[in-house]
Structure formats: structure tokens, C-alpha cells
Amino acid sequence: MSADPLHRAKAPQRSKTSPPPSGAAASAIEVRRSDRRRRTVSAYREGDRTIVLIPARMSEAEERRWVGVMLDKLAAQESRRTLGDGELAARAERLSAQYFDGRARPASVRWVTNQNTRWGSCTPAEGSIRLSHRLKGMPEYVVDYVLLHELAHLLVPGHGPRFWRLLEAYPRTERARGYLEGVAAASRLPHLPDPGEDRPPAPAS
């Protein structure tokens, strides 16, 4: 990601952020706010600093979230390594062993280029898992989350309480969801199933 060429004419407002999230590149971070920037967020390296460009109206909470998202994107770009289908299948096997006691056993795991409305899909009857090529180059913990999400469908259909309990074993579930939601919001890509979906209504008091 490079600096927005439209980000000029008016001197940007600047603010320092808190240290980067755990696992992010450890460099000085400078956030520049601009009244001219309405929705887009971008980031780039400038020497030993990371510059994040955001709309001036963004709240501090949104700023922190977007800084984390953009740091992850930059890190993924700088250490881009695309897993082949064979490596992806081996990764799924390791994740199943680590988090699901090896109970989720896919017959096939592969990348596909025809999934533009979802990050991954699973056909339990066939034991097949497919991941969108849009995930390529994203941080490893994000790819792992999507793999685990689809592996969980081999054990539990739908997105009910049992399904989300399975994913609670993965410690980076919330961070991965936040990353994907940030990407989706920026690019209007697929939304994630919400942990509240398919849950029964709370009993009346």
C-alpha cells in the first residue's frame, strides 16, 4: 500500500498511536488524519516509521483497529508467501490435530478463484474445503482462522452455539475476524457470519 496521491494540498492532522499489536512489526507508527479523506485508509513505510492515513472524523477506537489492520497488511505484503494446495492441506491437518484433536479430516483442501462472496467454503458430504484466492498474502493467523472455520463445519453444520464453541479454542479468532471485517469494510467484500447467528433467543425472565 502506498501513500494516497490525493492526500495533499491540506496539511494533515497528526496523532501518535499506541504501540503496535502483539506480533506486528515493531516500528514507530504515525497516524495522519485528513479532512479530505472520507472513507479510505492506507499505510506505507517511511524509513523506520509506518505512516497510516485515516479520515479526520475517525474515532480513537476505529483508529486503533485500523492501525492493527494496516500493520498486518503491510507485514503480509513484505513477507508474502503463497501456500500451494499441498501445503494448505498439510496446514489444515496440523490445525485439526492442534485444535480439534484430529477429528476434522478433510478429503481435499485447495485454493479457488471463483469465490468472491465468501472467504471459504466447505462441503461436508464430500469433505472438501475451498479457500478464496483473496486470502493469499494475508497474515498466517487469518488464513489459519478461515481454515479452522471450514474445518469446524466438518464437525458441526451451520453457525450455532456448538460451532462457535469449537472456534473458541483458537486464541486469535477475534483478531482474525476483526482483520477480515476491516478488509471487507474497505473493499465491500464478503461479511462474516456473526457468532450470534442461529443462536436461540434468550429465555424470557
Side-chain angles (χ1 to χ4, degrees):
M1 278 142 289
S2 59
D4 187 339
L6 297 179
H7 187 73
R8 56 174 181 266
K10 192 171 183 177
Q13 302 172 38
R14 301 189 180 190
S15 64
K16 294 292 184 181
T17 69
S18 55
S22 176
S27 62
I29 304 166
E30 180 180 316
V31 176
R32 298 180 182 176
R33 292 174 174 263
S34 171
D35 290 326
R36 297 176 64 85
R37 185 175 289 267
R38 292 289 178 257
R39 297 182 59 184
T40 59
V41 178
S42 61
Y44 62 98
R45 305 290 192 199
E46 187 176 88
D48 61 353
R49 294 185 301 163
T50 300
I51 310 300
V52 182
L53 309 174
I54 65 174
R57 62 181 175 79
M58 190 172 283
S59 69
E60 290 186 8
E62 289 175 317
E63 174 184 319
R64 286 192 297 271
R65 182 171 72 87
W66 274 105
V67 166
V69 168
M70 301 312 289
L71 286 174
D72 281 338
K73 280 190 173 184
L74 284 174
Q77 283 187 340
E78 292 166 352
S79 60
R80 189 178 298 275
R81 176 176 177 268
T82 300
L83 298 173
D85 287 350
E87 292 173 301
L88 200 62
R91 194 184 198 94
E93 183 178 350
R94 290 196 300 271
L95 289 168
S96 176
Q98 183 176 357
Y99 295 102
F100 301 150
D101 298 321
R103 291 179 295 127
R105 300 175 182 174
S108 66
V109 184
R110 60 193 175 91
W111 296 107
V112 294
T113 58
N114 62 351
Q115 285 193 160
N116 295 320
T117 60
R118 59 181 65 186
W119 297 113
S121 62
C122 173
T123 305
E126 300 174 357
S128 62
I129 290 175
R130 297 163 298 280
L131 262 59
S132 171
H133 71 289
R134 295 177 184 271
L135 290 164
K136 290 184 176 182
M138 289 190 186
E140 289 184 357
Y141 75 88
V142 175
V143 177
D144 284 352
Y145 167 73
V146 178
L147 273 174
L148 281 166
H149 186 110
E150 303 311 328
L151 285 167
H153 279 307
L154 293 176
L155 304 174
V156 179
H159 295 107
R162 286 181 58 227
F163 176 86
W164 294 111
R165 279 198 295 272
L166 282 175
L167 288 181
E168 287 175 0
Y170 183 55
R172 307 188 83 176
T173 287
E174 289 306 314
R175 186 176 177 193
R177 286 178 58 82
Y179 181 95
L180 291 172
E181 286 167 356
V183 173
S187 307
R188 296 186 179 181
L189 290 177
H191 88 287
L192 296 170
D194 189 272
E197 287 183 11
D198 296 341
R199 289 187 178 176
S205 56

